[in-house]
Amino acid sequence: MSKSIYVAACVIAALGGVGLFALNTNIAEHKGESKTQPLKTFAQSDDEPDFALWGRNFPAQLDGYLQMKDEYIQTPFGGSLPYSKIIRWPAATTFWNGYAFAVDYSKPRTHYYSQIDQLETKRNNKEFLNSHGLPAFKGQPGACVNCHTGYLKAIYSSSKLQGLFLDNPVESSKKAMGFFDVQENGQMMKEAWTKMNSIPYFDVMDKVKSVYGEGIHGSHMGSTCADCHNPDDMSLRVTRPAFVNAMVLRGYEADAKHGIKGSRKEMRNYVCMQCHVEYYFEGKDSVLTFPWTKWKKDEAFKIENFDEYYDEKFANGEFPYDFINKDTKAKIIKMQHPEAEMYSSSLHYRSGVTCVDCHMPYKRYGANKVTNHNILTPYADINASCKTCHPQSEQVLKDRIAFIQNRHAYELRKCENNLLALIADIKTARAELAKLPQFANLDEKAREEAISKALDKSLYAHRKAQIRWDVAFSENSYGFHSPQEFMRIISQCKEIAREGQSTLANELAPFNVKITFTKEAKIPNAPAKLDHHYPTASLPTDEMKKVDENIKNLNFK
Amino acid sequence: MKKPINKLLLACCILFGIVFGGGIYTFIIADGFLMMTHKPEACAKCHIMTDVYDSWLKGDHSSNAGCVDCHLPQNDFFAYWTKKAYHGLKHGYYFTVGGNPPNLEPAQMTHEDVNNNCATCHKDYAHNAINFNGEKLDCLHCHTSVGHLHN
């Protein structure tokens, strides 16, 4: 009896001992954490931008970066779950009819996938698009590579890749460009960069592949360390030439080492603003250009800055349109994802909050605070992103986001209705006009041109209203980045679309054509689900459908 | 006559000694005695409190009141020590196994304790406000960062 007590005592004491020593080690670890800083022990350079190589010096940051591989966060409107946006909101297929976005458009995944998503989207698939109503599509230009690869800096400046882009410089390499003109060897970089813009997308990626191989460390590598950090001292820098070119035209100053001159706070916006913008490809060399010259320095962006810019480019023929809408034949500008522009008018921006503050909040890593390199929606960690400034509970903060986004969604659906109505009426008007002898006797091309001329002002209304719908729809915050500017934009969209109908009536009057104008438009059927690797292009989830249904019925707080 | 040495008992003793020694050592390197005090350094021992400690140090309250003066109930010996043990063990647990959020938030119980302590120290000129219309006001609703910044 007494023996077993001894044994039991021993076992318990030993277990206690194990626990104690474990605790001891844990304490020692925590103490050690407060003393060490990560040291930079491996050399890193722009010739080898592989995140695995740079990450050896920065394990905490690499950890975060690699988490992006498996992040599929679902939020009411955004997140990183790559559901099909055109299946969820099929009105978009009518607006983009005649353009690749009407065929395949999913939410993008994280930065880890920025190259892979671009390689896989059907918008970059010539054969697919040619057989799906876009016979003239010749493939995406190299200009699209700009924001989808981690090798951009290497392409225009490294000893390994630059040489592959220097033969037969294109004409636009003679133009002044703020980014290159302050660099040593800037002319060579400019020649490589403009060349890359002008050749086909897959040709550029093949060259990257020939030097660095395929796979996630080679040509499939998305946005990574070198895109925002200088290898010498890891200071923030901008590597996208188009951003600096546009900023210099607005009155900002280029910088040889950091791309642009800016305080640390400004750089924490600029690194994101180098890609998250509205852009287009100008001229036959497809030079990536940001339409920012009407957006004055240090001012909040207004949607009219785009009208003014694109009207001017239309008038001088430098960039008339992205595509022609198949139904109305209007010359349409496709808005991309103008986060940089829209955020500039938000209350958060005006209070000095940067992109990084919310999308890469500080995270504790041992005793150190580290910027989280798992770049996500702030929804992913409300505590870290929002509560640093807002002491309210997480639920209260989520409700505030919903308050803004629900209103945005409700009005955006109204805007879609008005724009669909305008498009339907222009389509009817075109058909009616085509029956008149003065048009019917022309050959098809001349007839379409004559009708477009007769309906000139209505087609312009379509273009102008659609720019607004597209900003509100494609910008990646569903209203949150700047609620008031978004409401201004959506209300203008609704107004311009309705005005477009009365303009159409006036334009039809001389021909004695009367049509019944549409009030409630019919939403087109959702396109079929495409064959992608799951979860890309997946169907909207039940939660999303519920959100949309509630918004439709004004059933939200 | 001497009793023969019980080897098992001896082994037990040795083991117990190791465990006890290890325990003392762990207690010392973890600054266990510091935890028994009311010193703010005890709370700042866990470095997740570094920011809070720094901002408290720069604020007005650091010359008059430390962490426990606000965060633990005063004038009640039993409540003071049970809550001190409760918070200390809870914080110690989360610091050891992980899972602390980046921005800390007071629990409802702590919120009330802090509020009571505001009222106790500042009663001379706050007594009107705290019993305004018979309902106690929440000092921290407005004076959010008076002790330290809220993270």
Side-chain angles (χ1 to χ4, degrees), chain A residues 3 6-7 9-10 13-14 16-17 20-21 23-24 26-27 30-31 33-34 362 364 366-367 369 381 383-384 387-393, chain B residues 6 8-9 11-12 15-16 18-20 22-23 25-26 29-31 45 47-49 51 95-97 100-105 144 150-151:
Chain A
K3 241 184 188 176
Y6 285 138
V7 174
C10 270
L20 265 175
F21 281 105
L23 182 64
N24 199 315
N26 182 284
I27 292 165
H30 278 135
K31 282 195 164 191
E33 277 167 358
S34 64
Y362 287 114
R364 284 201 180 81
K369 272 190 166 182
D381 193 349
N383 184 297
K387 279 175 70 77
T388 300
C389 297
H390 299 279
Q392 290 80 0
S393 77
Chain B
N6 185 334
L8 202 59
L9 188 63
C12 274
L15 249 176
F16 181 76
I18 292 170
V19 170
F20 193 70
Y25 176 72
T26 305
I29 65 153
D31 284 321
K45 201 70 206 152
H47 34 245
I48 59 162
M49 290 293 174
D51 291 340
F95 186 64
T96 304
V97 303
N100 284 298
N103 295 296
L104 305 171
E105 192 177 353
T144 42
H150 59 73
N151 59 349

Side-chain angles (χ1 to χ4, degrees), chain A residues 469-487:
Chain A
W469 164 79
D470 213 344
V471 166
F473 183 77
S474 302
E475 204 270 356
N476 278 308
S477 71
Y478 237 73
F480 189 82
H481 281 154
S482 189
Q484 281 153 319
E485 182 64 14
F486 272 116
M487 275 301 144

Side-chain angles (χ1 to χ4, degrees), chain A residues 79-90:
Chain A
S80 52
L81 182 75
Y83 66 88
S84 166
K85 281 185 83 169
I86 49 176
I87 293 178
R88 185 170 179 189
W89 297 296

Side-chain angles (χ1 to χ4, degrees), chain A residues 27 38 42 50 80 101 155 164 281 425 506 508 512 537:
Chain A
I27 292 165
F42 297 96
D50 183 358
S80 52
F101 277 89
I155 286 173
L164 304 180
F281 306 144
D425 293 347
N506 292 340
L508 289 176
N512 271 327

